[in-house]
Amino acid sequence: MTDVDFRQSQPLASGPQTTNLADILERVLDKGIVIAGDIKIDLLDIELLTIRLRLFVASVDTAKKAGIDWWETDPALSSRASRNALQEENRELRERLESLESGTSDD
């Protein structure tokens, strides 16, 4: 007489894994996603309108890793950038004033 072992040594393979919206959003923000497309409207071989769309969706850290940091240098979005823009403008004006006062204008 033989004994049959019904215990399973390995777990059963599971079906498709379910992911919720939070998991998908976390994955997209972590890895980033690029959506690109062009819309072109022609009328009788005359180009009327062309819209080029490039969209990069990612977290701030992922975008910085990709080399995208325009929000840090845009004075409309960053108070630090606006201060730097004012300091740069002030420095340029001082240089122009010094050159005018010394009589060696670059312009």
Side-chain angles (χ1 to χ4, degrees):
M1 185 167 153
T2 59
D3 292 331
V4 177
D5 187 12
F6 290 103
R7 294 177 292 171
Q8 296 178 352
S9 60
Q10 296 180 358
L12 291 173
S14 62
Q17 295 182 350
T18 60
T19 54
N20 59 21
L21 185 59
D23 292 337
I24 294 170
L25 182 61
E26 182 179 340
R27 189 173 301 163
V28 166
L29 292 177
D30 184 46
K31 301 292 182 185
I33 186 171
V34 174
I35 300 170
D38 295 334
I39 300 171
K40 189 173 182 181
I41 299 173
D42 292 343
L43 179 64
L44 301 174
D45 292 333
I46 299 171
E47 184 176 326
L48 297 177
L49 177 68
T50 299
I51 299 173
R52 303 186 80 196
L53 176 67
R54 306 292 182 260
L55 181 64
F56 179 63
V57 179
S59 68
V60 170
D61 292 337
T62 304
K64 284 184 176 180
K65 288 177 187 174
I68 301 170
D69 60 352
W70 53 264
W71 60 88
E72 292 181 347
T73 57
D74 188 345
L77 299 174
S78 170
S79 60
R80 186 179 341 147
S82 64
R83 271 185 268 139
N84 290 342
L86 284 175
Q87 289 174 348
E88 180 65 23
E89 183 180 3
N90 193 11
R91 185 189 61 77
E92 289 176 3
L93 289 173
R94 286 178 190 264
E95 287 177 0
R96 288 188 65 192
L97 181 62
E98 287 177 12
S99 67
L100 289 172
E101 287 179 346
S102 66
T104 59
S105 175
D106 293 337
D107 296 332

